[in-house]
Amino acid sequence: MTRGFTIIELLVVIGIGVIILSTTSVLLLSGQRKVTKISFQEQMLSDIKSVQINAMTGQNGGGAKGVYFGEDSYTLFSGTSHDSQDPGNFVIDIGQSIQLETTFPGSVIVFLGISGEIANYNSNFNTLTIVDKTDNSSQVISFNKYGVAVSQN
């Protein structure tokens, strides 16, 4: 009698290994998506705060500064209105899995020079929604008239 494993025993062990590997990879990928969404949100809020500080301190030409939100990018700009042809714009692409939606008029937040307040602020039109297209989850961020993110659902 020879010692060793039968083909059935080997197939059972390989099957168990495949199940463990696939479960682990699914859990790791969902965690990675969540971390990506959180880091994007933090980076975007940091960019918005930076634009507001530039408007308040008069850096980069002084005066009003703003952020324009597209579906797959957002643009940092100088002035009271967004001009897509302005070479001074700074466009940040956000990739295919995240989409931005906003209730701000014209999809624009403009921060006034010196005060840093949001120009023409209306509390009914003050939200920015980050939508994760992979799992259809969303994060709603509301701003007060001072440009502070006051609620993040």
Side-chain angles (χ1 to χ4, degrees):
M1 180 169 201
T2 58
R3 303 184 87 189
F5 298 107
T6 66
I7 190 81
I8 294 174
E9 292 170 329
L10 289 174
L11 288 175
V12 167
V13 169
I14 290 172
I16 291 171
V18 167
I19 290 170
I20 291 171
L21 183 63
S22 64
T23 303
T24 305
S25 64
V26 166
L27 292 175
L28 288 175
L29 289 176
S30 67
Q32 181 183 13
R33 267 196 313 266
K34 185 175 182 179
V35 168
T36 300
K37 187 169 51 172
I38 290 170
S39 65
F40 165 74
Q41 176 181 332
E42 290 175 356
Q43 180 63 48
M44 185 183 64
L45 288 173
S46 175
D47 288 342
I48 292 170
K49 185 57 65 183
S50 176
V51 168
Q52 183 183 31
I53 290 170
N54 284 342
M56 293 169 66
T57 60
Q59 292 180 352
N60 301 325
K65 308 274 187 225
V67 182
Y68 168 77
F69 300 101
E71 280 191 16
D72 58 354
S73 67
Y74 61 96
T75 305
L76 314 180
F77 65 90
S78 292
T80 57
S81 63
H82 173 251
D83 176 9
S84 62
Q85 301 302 315
D86 187 345
N89 290 347
F90 188 73
V91 178
I92 296 99
D93 291 318
I94 60 175
Q96 299 295 322
S97 64
I98 296 177
Q99 178 179 343
L100 297 176
E101 299 172 356
T102 182
T103 61
F104 284 100
S107 300
V108 173
I109 300 177
V110 175
F111 297 102
L112 299 173
I114 311 288
S115 71
E117 293 181 11
I118 295 177
N120 303 318
Y121 179 78
N122 183 333
S123 61
N124 295 321
F125 303 104
N126 68 340
T127 62
L128 174 64
T129 305
I130 302 169
V131 179
D132 184 346
K133 293 187 216 175
T134 57
D135 62 4
N136 290 325
S137 64
S138 63
Q139 177 81 25
V140 179
I141 304 167
S142 299
F143 293 87
N144 67 13
K145 72 177 186 173
Y146 303 109
V148 177
V150 291
S151 69
Q152 301 177 19
N153 302 338

